[in-house]
């Protein structure tokens, strides 16, 4: 059976949590392969709401192994809190159902402080980070000065690692007018949190290879979306990791052949949190209505999401870059009752028309959408579980999206509830 990677095909917040949870019923292992606790997933299961930021979505299901791969940056204190929070809701997390890559890098308090200091120094030109230290942690990773999960097992050896780390960070902090890091206090904090992390750590790459050879189904869970990818997104208004499916192999410790199907998640409209270009953004009553009906607030930050029409140009680009074989279209029900719908089919830039999102930030900011209009539908699609329950106008809208993005709809979500999902193509099938 095919292993599946689930990735966002827009700017994140596409509803990956529900889809991953729905697919995890068919999976044996669920793997997070990039990002940190800056990405939130909201799951609604039997009326219970779970908001996860770092833990894989499969952790709320019994009998599944959840894995935090080496491509993730881990805030150990945030991890501890999240485990405690879902334990209070009756979900037990143990080393039997959670494994953390021993070579994953840690997010420390100094990373959060640097992240926030930088955003404050930018004034009105912020990137729009969550301020949780993800970017600075990735910088230390590629700068070869990071503290990793495995380092917590030998606190005596941490001194040299901390000296190298603080040589860099204290110089930066002085530039921002921040006091130097107290090394002894930081080491004490790490010693205190180590027992809450180390029991879960291990050689993830070996475990995943063993599970794959045993014929187990593995689900790779992405965070954010393709247009936030550090290489392929709307740079510099992006996250600090690769969010496309190519990262699933490297960030999980598997070869590229381990992933058979890539499922891209996309809303039936478009949203974005934070700064950066957004060609189809609606700064009017229509955009406000989408936000209100779709409850568009960030799971992690609580920030209001910017809303706009579906951008087929952007999603088609995500399909090509990410190797997406099929999409899960979410939040179709948010469009119920609208008289007219629009889909962006091209951009106008400098008097010309192009069918892709250009790389230069200035051109991205200049892009103006070329729209195709559709009749809306007045019937409710909320809770539909078959194509026969959908209005004809809704089906027409979906079919045209398939044509424009050059990928089929594999799943269709019609509410936050897990079972309100129409399966067209099973990603786990051969």
């Amino acid at each position: 059976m095919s292993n599946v990677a689930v990735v966002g095909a827009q700017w994140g917040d596409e509803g990956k949590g529900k889809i991953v949870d729905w697919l995890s019923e068919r999976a044996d292992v669920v793997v997070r392969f990039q990002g940190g606790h800056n990405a939130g997933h909201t799951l609604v299961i039997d009326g219970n709401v779970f908001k996860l930021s770092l833990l894989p979505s499969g952790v709320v299901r019994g009998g599944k192994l959840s894995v935090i791969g080496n491509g993730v940056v881990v805030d150990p204190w945030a991890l501890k809190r999240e485990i405690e929070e879902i334990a209070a809701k009756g979900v037990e997390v143990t080393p039997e159902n959670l494994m953390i890559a021993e070579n994953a890098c840690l997010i420390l308090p100094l990373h959060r402080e640097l992240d926030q200091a930088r955003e404050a120094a930018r004034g009105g030109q912020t990137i729009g980070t969550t301020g949780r230290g993800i970017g600075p942690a990735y910088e230390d990773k590629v700068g070869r000065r990071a503290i990793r999960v495995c380092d917590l097992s030998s606190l005596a050896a941490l001194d040299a690692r901390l000296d190298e780390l603080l040589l860099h960070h204290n110089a930066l902090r002085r530039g921002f007018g921040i006091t130097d890091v107290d090394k002894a206090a930081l080491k004490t904090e790490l010693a205190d949190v180590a027992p809450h992390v180390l029991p879960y750590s291990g050689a993830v790459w070996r475990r995943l290879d063993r599970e794959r050879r045993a014929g187990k189904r593995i689900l790779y869970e992405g965070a954010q979306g393709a247009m936030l990818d550090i290489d392929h997104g709307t740079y510099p208004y992006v996250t600090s990791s690769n969010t496309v499916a190519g990262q699933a192999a490297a960030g999980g410790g598997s070869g590229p052949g381990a992933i058979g199907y890539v499922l891209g998640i996309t809303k039936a409209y478009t949203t974005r949190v934070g700064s950066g270009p957004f060609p189809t953004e609606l700064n009017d009553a229509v955009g406000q209505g989408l936000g209100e009906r779709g409850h568009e607030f960030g799971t992690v930050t609580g920030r209001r999401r910017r809303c706009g029409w579906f951008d087929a140009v952007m999603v088609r680009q995500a399909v090509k870059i990410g190797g997406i074989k099929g999409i899960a279209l979410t939040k179709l029900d948010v469009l119920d009752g609208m008289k007219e719908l629009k889909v962006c089919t091209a951009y106008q830039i400098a008097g010309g028309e192009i069918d892709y999102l250009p790389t230069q930030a200035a051109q991205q900011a200049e892009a103006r959408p070329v729209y195709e209009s559709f009749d809306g539908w007045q019937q409710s699609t909320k809770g539909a579980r078959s194509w026969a329950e959908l209005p004809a106008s809704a089906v027409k809208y979906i079919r045209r999206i398939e044509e424009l993005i050059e990928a089929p709809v594999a799943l269709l979500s019609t509410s936050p509830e897990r079972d309100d999902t129409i399966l067209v193509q099973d990603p786990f099938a051969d």
Side-chain angles (χ1 to χ4, degrees), residues 231-411:
D231 289 311
H232 302 290
T234 49
Y235 192 93
Y237 301 99
V238 292
T239 194
S240 299
S241 61
N242 288 111
T243 61
V244 295
Q247 176 65 13
S254 305
I259 300 163
Y261 190 100
V262 179
L263 180 69
I265 317 299
T266 177
K267 283 175 181 166
Y269 50 101
T270 310
T271 64
R272 176 167 199 169
V273 171
S275 306
F278 187 169
T280 66
E281 184 173 11
L282 296 170
N283 294 305
D284 58 13
V286 176
Q288 183 177 349
L290 287 173
E292 291 172 354
R293 291 193 301 277
H295 306 290
E296 297 296 352
F297 296 91
T299 301
V300 169
T301 63
R303 289 182 293 182
R304 181 183 294 274
R305 296 177 186 139
R306 300 153 65 189
C307 298
W309 294 121
F310 186 86
D311 190 336
V313 180
M314 182 178 73
V315 175
R316 182 171 62 244
Q317 193 158 322
V319 166
K320 306 300 183 184
I321 292 168
I324 293 171
K325 292 186 177 181
I327 67 166
L329 191 66
T330 65
K331 291 199 166 184
L332 182 70
D333 56 300
V334 174
L335 302 181
D336 291 353
M338 300 185 71
K339 293 182 179 180
E340 181 186 41
L341 305 174
K342 294 182 180 181
V343 171
C344 175
T345 59
Y347 302 131
Q348 285 187 340
I349 300 176
E353 190 170 298
I354 63 173
D355 62 355
Y356 66 96
L357 186 65
T359 302
Q360 291 185 352
Q363 289 184 318
Q364 291 176 355
E366 185 185 345
R368 296 295 176 264
V370 176
Y371 285 124
E372 186 173 318
S373 296
F374 300 81
D375 291 333
W377 53 88
Q378 304 310 304
Q379 307 97 311
S380 174
T381 63
K382 188 176 181 66
R385 298 185 182 181
S386 71
W387 284 102
E389 297 177 56
L390 298 176
S393 296
V395 174
K396 182 179 179 180
Y397 180 76
I398 295 165
R399 294 305 185 201
R400 183 56 178 151
I401 283 177
E402 290 179 316
E403 293 174 354
L404 290 169
I405 67 173
E406 299 178 16
V409 170
L411 294 108

